[in-house]
Amino acid sequence: MSTRYERDVVAWANEQALLIRAGRFDLLDLEHIAEEIEEVGKSEQRELANRMADLLAHLLKWQYQPDRRGSSWVRTIKEQRKRVLLRLEETPSLSDKLNDARWCSDVWADAVSQAISETGVDTFPDECPWAVAEVIAPDWLPV
């Protein structure tokens, strides 16, 4: 037998919010609430990782395809930087991820895969050659 949570998570979430607002804590589905709260944190981490991978992929394309550089790439790089910085501003605890070697390695691997897929170039470095401070600096571009 499935639970309301399994059948319709949106209806379940609305129900849980009503119960909280009504002070009916005894009726709360605490296990699933805890799971959903944890998922919010994971979602924020995924969002930062995706934005960073997009930014790194565009920086790779910029460096390895200088003949294809254009204003659209500059706009994309600036937009992704803005979104990375916004994530960090809105969720300061995510800045710890920028110092996490495994997280950075995973993000770099995603960026390289994306860049290979979009360019056909497959000679990118195994590790990110740039410091995080450079990558997120407003006007920095690799040469």
Side-chain angles (χ1 to χ4, degrees), residues 25-119:
F25 306 120
D26 57 315
L27 298 176
L28 291 174
D29 180 356
L30 295 177
E31 183 59 34
H32 286 123
I33 290 172
E35 286 177 23
E36 289 300 315
I37 291 170
E38 288 171 342
E39 187 55 38
V40 168
K42 291 175 186 174
S43 176
E44 289 295 317
Q45 290 176 35
R46 282 191 300 274
E47 177 69 14
L48 177 63
N50 290 337
R51 295 293 179 185
M52 192 65 137
D54 286 347
L55 173 56
L56 290 167
H58 274 78
L59 291 171
L60 281 169
K61 293 191 308 187
W62 181 270
Q63 182 171 359
Y64 284 82
Q65 292 188 308
D67 55 315
R68 302 201 58 192
R69 292 176 182 168
S71 60
S72 68
W73 281 4
V74 172
R75 280 193 305 276
T76 299
I77 290 167
K78 286 184 181 214
E79 180 64 21
Q80 292 307 322
R81 273 194 183 121
K82 181 174 101 177
R83 291 181 182 271
V84 164
L85 293 171
L86 183 60
R87 291 270 50 80
L88 295 171
E89 181 181 311
E90 290 179 349
T91 315
S93 63
L94 287 177
S95 63
D96 293 343
K97 290 295 181 185
L98 301 178
N99 299 315
D100 180 330
R102 181 174 177 181
W103 184 87
C104 289
S105 178
D106 290 345
V107 169
W108 180 252
D110 290 345
V112 168
S113 292
Q114 180 181 337
I116 289 170
S117 173
E118 293 175 5
T119 66

